[in-house]
Amino acid sequence: MVSRRKILSQSRDELSFEPHPQDEPEDDVWYTKEKLYKDHIREVLDKWDSIDDEIWAKVIVLERNRRVAKAYARAPVVTVNGSDEGFDGFRIGVAGFDNPMRDVGTEETIRQINQGFKLKMDDMGNILIKRLAKSQVYAKNTLEESALSNDIIKLTNGLLEFEKPFKLFDMKKFQQNVNRELKRQYPDRRKLESQCISLVSFGTSSSEILDCPIWVLIINVVAMEMLRTKIPPSRVSIPQMLDNRRMIGCGSSDEDPYSIAGSGSSGSSGNGNTRNRSSSRDKPPQLPPRDNNIYGTVPGVWGQMNEDKKDKKKVGDDPYYFGLSARIPNFVKSRKKKQKERDAARARSAPCPNPPNNGAPSQ
């Protein structure tokens, strides 16, 4: 059946008319990557106060243009592989998420993922990626101006080399892009928000990300934190925005096993902002606390810091925002519920087997 909305959405982000109930867009499905980026950035911003301070990224798993799972990364290293484990805080097994609409091509790609890749954030806010699978893993560059490292841009179609770490997100490059944008008369916040997104696909180098059988979208939460302090909300005047251009570096990683050759730093500075990494791999990376002066927050922009935020958090808070569980789309839950109801109805309507007569003569 032809859908006008699906056709028109390829050229228009939003429609002005009110759709009929049967024409309502499907949940967790996107037809333009621009709207997909905007919606996922908005999800993070809307739930900002619920996200734990040790979360450094949000990871979304998609099959073509349909989202099948999303989770927050808190562990120092997160593995994305082809296992059926789902998400346990340290690993994302993409085969563990159900998708009733999954096609044959996607199933074949998932079977070939195997070890997948690892993600890690260093003390500078860079996101590092290391390909562990023998099958192809691609880092996608879909924006004219992005925070993707130049080393990846130089690769053929972004095909990552086996067991070699790369900067999937280059914080220094992002800072340069932000400072360049701040020099404009009217900085474009949405343009910079889109640069907080990194894309990784399995098995194909298709230029259209929504056509990839299975891929992963990663949002750098630390970069978004920096952006919040550099470009305040729209209620603040433009001159006040432009005055907030100072940013101080944060730490280094001398003994980082994921460090890239030739990119190390001295690790010593006299400003007191350097943060030493814990030697334990079981602890999340020590990252800048939210909305403090390490990135040069504008006084009064955000109002009083919500000091009792931690007091409001209870032990029973949603583990999803603490990087301990994943969420799956509602359409998967509803289909599972309907399937159980159909199975139960068939079981009730099935004829009962005749009991054995144990040799008793029939009447």
Side-chain angles (χ1 to χ4, degrees):
M1 182 179 295
V2 176
S3 169
R4 297 190 303 276
R5 188 175 183 85
K6 290 182 181 180
I7 296 173
L8 293 176
S9 64
Q10 298 180 25
S11 58
R12 297 179 61 187
D13 193 23
E14 294 178 354
L15 300 179
S16 59
F17 64 85
E18 290 293 331
H20 296 290
Q22 63 269 24
D23 294 330
E24 286 288 350
E26 297 178 83
D27 291 336
D28 301 286
V29 174
W30 287 265
Y31 299 98
T32 64
K33 57 179 178 288
E34 291 79 14
K35 190 170 191 310
L36 183 144
Y37 299 161
K38 184 179 72 173
D39 289 351
H40 282 89
I41 290 293
R42 177 53 51 194
E43 279 189 8
V44 173
L45 293 176
D46 288 347
K47 299 296 183 181
W48 189 263
D49 291 334
S50 300
I51 301 172
D52 187 70
D53 288 335
E54 293 178 341
I55 296 297
W56 54 271
K58 184 175 183 179
V59 182
I60 299 97
V61 180
L62 299 103
E63 297 181 9
R64 304 198 188 276
N65 67 334
R66 185 181 296 274
R67 181 172 64 188
V68 296
K70 55 184 178 179
Y72 284 98
R74 179 177 179 172
V77 179
V78 174
T79 302
V80 181
N81 58 32
S83 69
D84 59 358
E85 296 176 354
F87 178 66
D88 62 1
F90 295 88
R91 288 168 294 276
I92 299 177
V94 297
F97 303 116
D98 293 328
N99 179 10
M101 311 299 290
R102 182 175 295 156
D103 57 63
V104 176
T106 301
E107 290 179 352
E108 180 61 28
T109 303
I110 291 176
R111 282 194 290 267
Q112 297 175 1
I113 291 175
N114 296 321
Q115 299 300 315
F117 60 85
K118 286 189 176 183
L119 294 171
K120 173 186 173 69
M121 175 167 280
D122 65 13
D123 292 331
M124 300 297 292
N126 303 305
I127 294 181
L128 307 179
I129 184 171
K130 182 189 287 186
R131 170 187 161 192
L132 304 178
K134 293 183 179 179
S135 57
Q136 292 89 346
V137 177
Y138 297 89
K140 314 294 289 185
N141 184 17
T142 59
L143 299 173
E144 293 182 2
E145 190 176 86
S146 71
L148 191 67
S149 70
N150 293 331
D151 289 338
I152 292 182
I153 293 176
K154 293 175 183 177
L155 298 174
T156 304
N157 296 323
L159 177 60
L160 300 178
E161 298 178 20
F162 182 63
E163 290 192 342
K164 180 178 179 180
F166 289 93
K167 285 183 183 178
L168 181 66
F169 183 96
D170 189 332
M171 179 59 81
K172 183 177 180 180
K173 186 176 180 180
F174 179 68
Q175 291 172 357
Q176 293 172 348
N177 294 343
V178 171
N179 291 333
R180 188 183 306 112
E181 189 67 26
L182 285 173
K183 293 178 182 179
R184 302 180 185 275
Q185 185 176 6
Y186 302 106
D188 187 345
R189 179 188 177 89
R190 183 171 295 180
K191 173 184 174 182
L192 295 172
E193 286 175 342
S194 296
Q195 294 183 32
C196 296
I197 293 175
S198 303
L199 307 178
V200 181
S201 68
F202 292 101
T204 179
S205 59
S206 173
S207 59
E208 179 50 63
I209 190 65
L210 299 181
D211 291 336
C212 294
I214 182 163
W215 54 288
V216 179
L217 184 151
I218 302 108
I219 300 176
N220 190 330
V221 176
V222 177
M224 290 191 63
E225 174 71 48
M226 189 202 77
L227 189 57
R228 279 166 56 95
T229 59
K230 296 285 280 186
I231 303 183
S234 57
R235 67 174 181 269
V236 180
S237 64
I238 296 297
Q240 194 172 359
M241 290 184 186
L242 299 178
D243 287 341
N244 183 33
R245 296 181 180 177
R246 182 178 60 85
M247 182 166 59
I248 304 171
C250 52
S252 64
S253 55
D254 291 332
E255 302 299 330
D256 193 342
Y258 278 68
S259 293
I260 300 170
S263 65
S265 57
S266 63
S268 60
S269 60
N271 59 10
N273 287 328
T274 303
R275 295 173 176 267
N276 296 323
R277 290 275 304 182
S278 171
S279 59
S280 172
R281 284 183 171 271
D282 294 331
K283 295 182 179 180
Q286 296 183 14
L287 302 175
R290 298 192 192 284
D291 289 333
N292 65 1
N293 290 328
I294 195 166
Y295 289 125
T297 306
V298 178
V301 169
W302 300 101
Q304 286 282 331
M305 231 344 235
N306 192 4
E307 294 295 341
D308 60 345
K309 175 183 173 183
K310 290 186 177 180
D311 296 335
K312 290 183 179 181
K313 287 184 178 291
K314 300 182 177 65
V315 178
D317 278 357
D318 194 338
Y320 167 68
Y321 296 110
F322 287 79
L324 302 175
S325 66
R327 283 189 176 175
I328 60 175
N330 290 327
F331 78 90
V332 175
K333 299 176 185 177
S334 62
R335 283 176 177 267
K336 283 184 175 181
K337 182 179 179 181
K338 290 179 180 178
Q339 184 62 43
K340 287 182 179 180
E341 292 175 352
R342 286 195 294 266
D343 293 343
R346 280 197 294 266
R348 288 193 299 267
S349 61
C352 297
N354 294 325
N357 54 19
N358 294 326
S362 58
Q363 298 296 327

